[in-house]
Amino acid sequence: MADKENLSRLSRILEIYMRFMNGEVINKKDEANRYGVNEKTIQRDIEEIRSFISSGSSRYGTIDNIVYDRRIKGYYLEKVYNSKLSNSEILAICKILLDSRAFTKTEMQNMLEKLVELCVPRENQRLVRDLILNEEFHYIEPHHGKVFIDKMLELGQAIRKTKYVEIDYMRTKDKAVVRRKLKPLAIMFSEYYFYLTAFIDDEEVRKDFDVINDSFPTIYRIDRIQKLKVLNESFHIPYKDRFEEGEFRKRIQFMYGGKLQKITFKYFGGSPEPVLDRLPTAKIVSEDETGITITAEVFGKGIDMWLRSQGDSVKILSKN
C-alpha cells in the first residue's frame, strides 16, 4: 500500500514538474482537485520541485526558480540563464540606446520593449520600464527618419563574405545621388549615425579624393544609402593590408575620413581625462604649471572640429 502511495506521489510530482517545464501555470486549488489531495500536499510538491531545480541550477547553466504571481493566482517556472544580462546591465544598455538617438521612435520603442521582456525577470520588468519611461516618452528620433536595420544586416553579410556592393549614395555636400562600387570593410557608429567604411573600386572616382592611398577607406552614412545591391563578385584584401576596425576607431573623430596624421597640442582644461577618453591614441608628453602637452595619432579632418570646440583650452603645437 505504501509503495502504491509513493508511486502515486512520485507520478504526481513528475507530472507537475513537466507542466512547469512546458510553461504552464500551476494553481494549488486546481491541482488539489485534479489529484484528489489537499492544497498543503500540492504546496509540499511544489517545494520539492523548487528544491530539486535549485540544486541543479549550477550544473545546467541556468538559475531557475518557481515563482508565485498574484495576478495569475498561480506558480510558474522562471528560467534565467547565467549568460543573461542583469537588471542593472539592461538598464545601462537601454539608457545608452536612448542617448544614441540612432533609430526612429517606433524602432527604439520596439527594441527597448524586447530587451526588457526577454532579459529582465518578470517581477523586475516594471522597475526597469519605470526608470526609462520618461526618457522614452520624450525621445527625439533623428531628422532623417530612415529605417535601415535590414540594410545594415545586408552590408554585414557582404563584409563577412567579402562581396562587392553597389550603392546609390546621397552626398552630404550637394545632395547629389552618386553610384559607387565598394569593397565593404566595417560598420561603425558615431554621434547618432551608423557608417559603412569601404574601399572605392573606381580609379576615376578616387583620383578626385584628397587621399588616394588605398590604406585609407572612405566613409558613408548608412541612412544616406538610397539603394544597395550586393554583387556576386568577391574581393580579396591581403592579410597584411586588412582593415583593423579597432585601430581605425581609435584614430578617427566624427567619422571624417582623411590621411593619418600626428598632432601635438597644449591642454589647459584641468584634468586630461576627457581628452584621453576622446582621443584613445593620446599620450601625455609632459606636464607643468602652464598646462599639459599631449600627442595623438588621428585620421582626417574631424580632429580640427574637436580642437576648435575646445576654444582657449587647447593650443596646437604641431600637425604632420
Side-chain angles (χ1 to χ4, degrees):
M1 187 72 172
D3 287 344
K4 283 186 177 181
E5 288 180 0
N6 287 336
L7 186 60
S8 176
R9 174 175 171 273
L10 179 60
S11 177
R12 183 181 66 244
I13 291 174
L14 285 173
E15 284 180 8
I16 294 174
Y17 172 75
M18 290 301 297
R19 286 165 54 214
F20 270 131
M21 295 300 290
N22 287 332
E24 293 186 34
V25 175
I26 303 298
N27 177 280
K28 283 195 298 184
K29 184 177 180 179
D30 291 345
E31 298 308 308
N33 292 333
R34 183 196 300 270
Y35 294 107
V37 297
N38 58 44
E39 290 185 34
K40 287 185 178 180
T41 298
I42 298 298
Q43 183 66 54
R44 284 195 296 269
D45 292 346
I46 292 173
E47 291 304 322
E48 287 199 38
I49 293 171
R50 180 180 278 149
S51 177
F52 171 75
I53 289 174
S54 177
S55 66
S57 289
S58 60
R59 294 196 301 272
Y60 300 118
T62 59
I63 305 172
D64 298 344
N65 192 22
I66 303 295
V67 178
Y68 181 74
D69 190 327
R70 287 190 178 87
R71 293 173 300 173
I72 56 178
K73 297 180 180 180
Y75 295 84
Y76 68 92
L77 176 66
E78 181 183 71
K79 185 178 286 289
V80 181
Y81 291 91
N82 288 338
S83 59
K84 279 193 174 181
L85 298 167
S86 68
N87 297 337
S88 301
E89 290 168 332
I90 285 294
L91 177 60
I93 289 171
C94 288
K95 288 287 186 179
I96 292 169
L97 261 178
L98 284 162
D99 194 51
S100 75
R101 289 186 51 215
F103 304 100
T104 65
K105 189 162 188 173
T106 300
E107 286 180 294
M108 182 63 72
Q109 289 172 333
N110 288 339
M111 288 181 190
L112 294 173
E113 181 60 30
K114 289 173 184 176
L115 274 171
V116 174
E117 183 70 28
L118 296 175
C119 300
V120 178
R122 190 177 301 183
E123 67 271 18
N124 294 331
Q125 288 179 6
R126 179 64 181 273
L127 170 65
V128 175
R129 286 192 177 102
D130 285 349
L131 289 170
I132 64 173
L133 184 62
N134 186 264
E135 202 169 350
E136 182 180 352
F137 179 78
H138 292 287
Y139 176 77
I140 300 175
E141 65 183 19
H143 287 289
H144 61 70
K146 300 287 181 59
V147 175
F148 52 84
I149 287 182
D150 291 340
K151 193 175 292 179
M152 205 155 58
L153 180 60
E154 278 191 83
L155 288 169
Q157 291 172 330
I159 291 166
R160 182 172 176 269
K161 295 176 181 178
T162 62
K163 295 285 188 181
Y164 279 98
V165 298
E166 186 178 83
I167 66 171
D168 288 352
Y169 185 74
M170 186 174 71
R171 293 191 304 211
T172 305
K173 61 182 180 180
D174 56 7
K175 303 296 189 293
V177 176
V178 295
R179 181 160 293 180
R180 296 284 184 261
K181 181 181 177 183
L182 307 172
K183 298 175 182 176
L185 302 174
I187 293 170
M188 305 178 74
F189 177 80
S190 178
E191 276 84 30
Y192 313 116
Y193 306 116
F194 284 92
Y195 296 86
L196 170 70
T197 58
F199 290 152
I200 294 180
D201 199 55
D202 191 329
E203 293 290 335
E204 285 300 309
V205 172
R206 288 178 56 239
K207 71 181 183 180
D208 294 327
F209 278 60
D210 293 334
V211 178
I212 299 178
N213 190 324
D214 245 0
S215 64
F216 307 118
T218 51
I219 300 168
Y220 303 87
R221 255 177 55 182
I222 293 177
D223 61 276
R224 289 182 175 273
I225 296 176
Q226 307 291 301
K227 290 183 181 179
L228 167 66
K229 182 179 180 181
V230 179
L231 306 179
N232 289 327
E233 186 182 354
S234 297
F235 63 88
H236 172 70
I237 298 175
Y239 184 78
K240 65 181 180 64
D241 298 326
R242 72 192 185 283
F243 177 72
E244 296 189 77
E245 185 178 348
E247 292 302 312
F248 187 71
R249 161 69 70 185
K250 291 178 187 177
R251 293 167 170 81
I252 192 162
Q253 299 296 312
F254 304 108
M255 298 306 289
Y256 276 80
K259 67 179 182 179
L260 184 65
Q261 57 184 325
K262 185 175 182 179
I263 62 167
T264 303
F265 58 91
K266 198 95 169 183
Y267 180 67
F268 312 102
S271 171
E273 280 187 8
V275 178
L276 300 178
D277 288 335
R278 180 80 225 190
L279 307 174
T281 62
K283 295 178 181 178
I284 295 175
V285 177
S286 63
E287 186 172 356
D288 55 36
E289 64 278 0
T290 64
I292 304 169
T293 301
I294 296 174
T295 184
E297 280 188 341
V298 292
F299 276 110
K301 300 176 181 178
I303 186 62
D304 297 329
M305 293 175 59
W306 181 82
L307 290 169
R308 287 195 297 270
S309 73
Q310 300 307 297
D312 294 337
S313 296
V314 166
K315 178 182 179 182
I316 301 172
L317 301 180
S318 65
K319 287 175 68 177
N320 52 62

